[in-house]
Amino acid sequence: MSPAATENDEKVLVGVIGGSGLYNLDNLKFIKHVRPETPWGLPSSDITICETPAGIRVAFLARHGPGHTISPSHVPSRANIAAFKHLGVRAILAFSAVGSLREEIAPGAFALPSQIIDRTKGIRPHTFFDGTVVAHCSFGDPFGQRLSAWLEGPVRAALAQVPGRQVQLFTDKCIVCMEGPQFSTRAESEMYRMWGGDLINMSVLPEAKLAREAEISYALIATATDYDSWRQGEEAVTAAEVFKTLQANADASRLIAEKVLDAMHEAVTQGDVLSEVQGSMKFSIMPRAVKQDEADLAKLHYILPEYF
Ligand SMILES: CSC[C@H]1O[C@H](OP(=O)(O)O)[C@H](O)[C@@H]1O
Ligand SMILES: Nc1ncnc2[nH]cnc12
């Protein structure tokens, strides 16, 4: 049996991407592993199909692989997003460890950002439309606005149940996505603050762009681990600093998954949170030319069968 046939017998509507520190959702019931070979290669790792407390199946993927062997510049984001879409995923809840560029967002706090500043350096494949089919998707609002707005209440409620600490949730923040793997200089960190950046990571792009191209609604839960390098008289961020908060943030992220995914699946089923992205590529794709390559069309069929 082909991998696609095995995987497609049950569609999974909600996908979760775990970042640094979040390599599994072992508080949910394990069902099976799948690893579809997509036209853009293999995803970062096996995708785990797990079951929520209400028995809903969701898909989990560790962005950097289960042993954190993939650097942010080399995450196979096209394969990750394509594999999710092929499994039926319509909405993604992504987690990311981030630096804070604002005093009030202390390490340990969580945020649902609404904007992104792209500081990646063009070395990451960042579109599904790099062949003979050209498309220009709208990205003014890079996150699923309806999904992020919907998430705020359930995420707040889940965070109120984190044992032993109060986790603040910020909304409407701007995240800078830098290339890495080295952290920013003090001058860069200060510049990002002047630009209006509130948070910084190395992973939200091209993930969010590719999700938009695949018509998947994408929301990010940014989990702050450090103050980056802008605070004068304080140490610049180090990996050791990040590790101090990583485990506690991952535990709180797992709790969010456990408490939120059933209702998120329901919202996706009803379509409430998808309206901005579903159908959005229809008028983003340039009118077909005779010279479009059959192989390119076949690849795009994998993620957007409605159009190709
Ligand atoms: C471990 S510090 C830098 C690293 O952490 C973040 O990863 P993720 O977004 O996958 O949680 C950041 O983006 C960098 O990749
Ligand atoms: N300060 C920082 N810069 C970039 N990515 C990060 N991930 C966690 N902290 C970070």
Side-chain angles (χ1 to χ4, degrees), residues 17-23 44-45 61-73 75-76 80 95-96 202-203:
I17 299 181
S20 298
L22 186 63
Y23 306 110
S44 293
S45 67
L61 174 68
R63 182 183 288 125
H64 304 280
H68 206 128
T69 48
I70 309 172
S71 90
S73 304
V75 171
N80 292 349
F95 290 88
S96 170
M202 304 177 190
S203 305

Side-chain angles (χ1 to χ4, degrees), residues 265-289:
H265 173 90
E266 184 58 28
V268 172
T269 305
Q270 290 175 2
D272 300 352
V273 295
L274 300 181
S275 54
E276 316 145 307
V277 290
Q278 261 189 344
S280 65
M281 289 307 289
K282 189 168 181 184
F283 300 110
S284 303
I285 301 160
M286 299 308 280
R288 290 172 185 226

Side-chain angles (χ1 to χ4, degrees), residues 64-103:
H64 304 280
H68 206 128
T69 48
I70 309 172
S71 90
S73 304
H74 298 114
V75 171
S77 293
R78 291 194 297 189
N80 292 349
I81 297 296
F84 265 0
K85 183 71 191 285
H86 196 62
L87 292 174
V89 167
R90 293 289 178 271
I92 291 177
L93 182 58
F95 290 88
S96 170
V98 307
S100 166
L101 300 173
R102 300 288 157 196
E103 191 67 46

Side-chain angles (χ1 to χ4, degrees), residues 13-16 56 58 89-94 147 150-151 154 217-219 257 259-271 273-274:
L13 295 181
V14 173
V16 179
I56 300 296
V58 296
V89 167
R90 293 289 178 271
I92 291 177
L93 182 58
L147 179 61
W150 179 88
L151 278 165
S217 192
Y218 177 96
K259 302 289 177 192
V260 164
L261 292 179
D262 283 322
M264 182 168 157
H265 173 90
E266 184 58 28
V268 172
T269 305
Q270 290 175 2
V273 295
L274 300 181

